[in-house]
Amino acid sequence: AQRTFLQDYAQGGGKIKLTITICKPRMFDPDNAYASVKPCLDAMVRCVFLKDDSARYLDLSVKQEKKRGRPVTIFTLEPANDA
């Protein structure tokens, strides 16, 4: 299986900056917005895009946009500046 730069970077202990943008008609309260992405974080750890979902390896930001229509979630991953 082909690995990506970010997979190699994360598995080498590099810190990843992950921004998740949730676009849907109704907004979550902030605690629920973060809780709603936990299964995604777990999947990203299993798929080796993240070494771990702790603050040592992950700079997480969850944003929300109120949008009509079908819900969409956008993931943006990049090396963290403080890595």
Side-chain angles (χ1 to χ4, degrees):
Q2 185 177 5
R3 294 173 61 98
T4 67
F5 164 77
L6 279 175
Q7 286 174 310
D8 288 337
Y9 181 82
Q11 292 308 300
K15 189 171 187 175
I16 298 291
K17 179 180 179 183
L18 172 60
T19 303
I20 301 176
T21 306
I22 302 167
C23 307
K24 53 186 250 148
R26 292 188 62 185
M27 306 278 270
F28 288 119
D29 65 63
D31 288 341
N32 285 336
Y34 275 85
S36 74
V37 301
K38 178 63 174 148
C40 298
L41 298 177
D42 292 342
M44 294 176 91
V45 170
R46 280 193 301 277
C47 293
V48 299
F49 282 103
L50 300 173
K51 185 173 182 85
D52 189 76
D53 61 1
S54 68
R56 179 176 178 184
Y57 300 106
L58 177 63
D59 177 7
L60 177 64
S61 176
V62 178
K63 300 179 180 181
Q64 298 187 76
E65 293 180 11
K66 192 170 186 175
K67 258 188 172 174
R68 290 182 179 197
R70 192 173 188 163
V72 175
T73 304
I74 302 166
F75 297 84
T76 307
L77 291 92
E78 57 191 337
N81 290 334
D82 59 346

